[in-house]
């Protein structure tokens, strides 16, 4: 009986550790508000691929409003696999954000143009 309890306890501990590790794998995105004071836009970054999108609140007559989302456009799609982050400037009228590659130091500016998020070519 004593031998039986140890493997069962071990299985429960392994299952518990596996459940705890799962949320860490799901934390793949970073979110950052645009620095412009009168713009309600949030940028979304896939930290592994560098893909950038954005959403904001929009008014729609007869409703409480809608969430307007902008898909990745030119330059905002997946980049080479790395470790990316978003950085906002402190400029009060800036609607875009910097996408930085933390491994290489490369940067680009991402912003909404028409109906998509676009990013400038990466530079150092």
């Amino acid at each position: 009986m004593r031998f039986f309890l140890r493997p069962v306890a071990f299985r429960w501990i392994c299952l518990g550790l596996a459940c705890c590790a799962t949320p860490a794998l799901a934390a793949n995105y970073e979110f950052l508000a645009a620095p412009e004071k009168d713009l309600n836009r949030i940028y979304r970054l896939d930290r592994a691929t560098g893909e950038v999108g954005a959403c904001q609140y929009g008014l729609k007559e007869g409703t409480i409003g809608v969430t307007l989302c902008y898909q990745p456009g030119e330059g905002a799609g997946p980049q080479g696999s790395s470790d990316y982050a978003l950085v906002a400037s402190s400029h009060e009228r800036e609607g875009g954000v910097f996408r930085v590659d933390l491994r290489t130091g490369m940067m680009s500016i991402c912003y909404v143009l028409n109906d998509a998020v676009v990013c400038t070519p990466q530079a150092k």
Side-chain angles (χ1 to χ4, degrees):
M1 185 78 158
R2 188 172 174 193
F3 178 76
F4 177 72
L5 291 176
R6 285 186 182 167
V8 171
F10 179 75
R11 288 182 190 140
W12 281 108
I13 290 170
C14 289
L15 180 61
L17 290 174
C19 290
C20 292
T22 303
L25 297 174
N28 197 36
Y29 291 95
E30 180 178 326
F31 299 89
L32 182 68
E36 188 174 347
K37 297 293 182 192
D38 62 348
L39 184 61
N40 65 357
R41 183 172 295 147
I42 302 289
Y43 286 89
R44 178 192 69 247
L45 169 77
D46 184 314
R47 293 189 302 200
T49 68
E51 183 179 76
V52 181
C55 292
Q56 69 185 52
Y57 172 76
L59 297 174
K60 185 174 180 183
E61 223 174 284
T63 71
I64 59 171
V66 294
T67 303
L68 302 171
C69 290
Y70 304 95
Q71 298 303 312
E74 185 177 342
Q79 307 297 298
S81 181
S82 193
D83 187 14
Y84 295 94
L86 293 176
V87 178
S89 70
S90 61
H91 195 280
E92 290 182 1
R93 298 183 64 196
E94 180 62 56
V97 295
F98 289 87
R99 174 182 58 196
V100 297
D101 184 328
L102 298 173
R103 292 184 189 163
T104 66
M106 300 291 279
M107 295 185 210
S108 58
I109 303 289
C110 300
Y111 54 95
V112 172
L113 179 64
N114 299 324
D115 60 351
V117 176
V118 296
C119 298
T120 62
Q122 292 186 2
K124 198 172 194 180

